[in-house]
């Protein structure tokens, strides 16, 4: 068992057009799209496609003056970074520093849900930006809430569609319960 790294959490890919990219990742390769969101703070649109315990993240810049846009202009579409979940981020960073590796973050940054992240400079990794990530204790809870929220939204939308279909069928058969309040 690896001492520092638990698994690959995600691989982030920069694309010029998320919808176009989904024609490969979703339609052709058959990964599920779990969700897509606009991240104004990063001036980008992101899409998440889980593959078992890891995820592919597609990132499309939404403004020319973002880090992702600069990356895209300089290097073209492709891999932006690979993220490893680690057991203990501080311990991993100390170890890497002792090995003379160039860390972009001196201390872990606290991300959404209290998770800790840090980046290793590509000059130490032979050309790949590497992200380290340690799960916070609160995160499984936050993820559960989010999954529940998404599920509820899907059910509500499904219900709306079902109701509309019923209305339509009632209209066809002239069997609507128009007098009834509901
Ligand atoms: Zn990342």
């Amino acid at each position: 068992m690896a001492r520092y790294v638990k698994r690959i959490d995600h691989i982030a890919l920069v694309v010029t057009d998320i919808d176009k990219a989904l024609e490969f990742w979703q339609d052709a390769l058959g990964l599920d799209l779990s969700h897509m969101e606009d991240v104004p703070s990063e001036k980008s649109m992101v899409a998440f496609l889980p593959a078992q315990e890891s995820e592919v993240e597609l990132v499309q810049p939404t403004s020319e003056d973002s880090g992702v846009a600069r990356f895209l202009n300089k290097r073209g579409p492709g891999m932006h970074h690979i993220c490893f979940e680690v057991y203990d981020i501080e311990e991993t960073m100390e170890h890497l520093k002792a090995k003379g590796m160039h860390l972009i973050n001196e201390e872990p940054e606290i991300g959404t849900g209290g998770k800790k992240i840090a980046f290793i400079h590509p000059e130490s990794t032979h050309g790949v930006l590497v992200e380290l990530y340690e799960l916070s204790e609160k995160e499984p809870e936050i993820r559960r809430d989010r999954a529940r929220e998404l599920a509820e939204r899907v059910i509500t939308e499904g219900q709306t569609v079902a109701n509309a279909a019923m209305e339509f069928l009632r209209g066809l058969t002239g069997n609507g319960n128009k007098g009834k309040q509901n």
Side-chain angles (χ1 to χ4, degrees):
M1 191 174 79
R3 202 169 145 197
Y4 300 102
V5 171
K6 201 184 259 184
R7 66 189 174 96
I8 292 175
D9 183 72
H10 62 269
I11 294 173
L13 310 174
V14 181
V15 299
T16 46
D17 182 338
I18 271 189
D19 293 325
K20 276 267 163 219
L22 285 174
E23 287 175 13
F24 170 70
W25 295 100
Q26 187 181 23
D27 303 343
L29 195 58
L31 293 179
D32 290 321
L33 174 66
S34 70
H35 67 287
M36 191 139 101
E37 68 183 63
D38 190 20
V39 188
S41 61
E42 300 288 330
K43 294 176 181 166
S44 57
M45 179 74 101
V46 289
F48 299 89
L49 300 116
Q52 299 275 8
E53 58 173 13
S54 308
E55 263 182 337
V56 171
E57 281 186 22
L58 303 177
V59 186
Q60 178 199 323
T62 50
S63 158
E64 271 304 304
D65 66 334
S66 64
V68 182
R70 281 190 293 276
F71 181 96
L72 188 60
N73 289 334
K74 201 169 144 194
R75 307 187 55 164
M79 193 162 119
H80 185 264
H81 65 267
I82 181 167
C83 175
F84 294 101
E85 185 186 346
V86 296
Y87 293 101
D88 183 322
I89 198 165
E90 281 90 356
E91 190 193 337
T92 307
M93 289 170 79
E94 276 314 308
H95 171 74
L96 288 166
K97 267 188 238 176
K99 288 270 180 196
M101 301 301 158
H102 179 177
L103 302 183
I104 292 173
N105 304 89
E106 275 300 306
E107 300 290 328
E109 274 180 37
I110 309 297
T112 41
K115 69 181 176 189
K116 297 180 197 172
I117 59 168
F119 285 92
I120 310 170
H121 199 284
E123 74 182 17
S124 291
T125 63
H126 304 264
V128 182
L129 180 61
V130 172
E131 179 180 9
L132 303 174
Y133 146 75
E134 185 190 323
L135 189 75
S136 84
E137 282 140 39
K138 283 184 294 178
E139 208 179 323
E141 225 173 278
I142 291 166
R143 284 195 177 217
R144 235 184 349 260
D145 287 351
R146 188 165 190 172
R148 196 178 300 134
E149 219 172 82
L150 278 171
E152 275 165 10
R153 203 190 302 162
V154 168
I155 289 163
T156 309
E157 279 164 10
Q159 199 58 55
T160 308
V161 170
N163 287 342
M166 283 308 292
E167 283 302 316
F168 178 71
L169 286 172
R170 281 191 195 116
L172 280 183
T173 55
N175 197 20
N177 38 4
K178 291 186 181 79
K180 202 175 144 195
Q181 292 284 333
N182 55 4

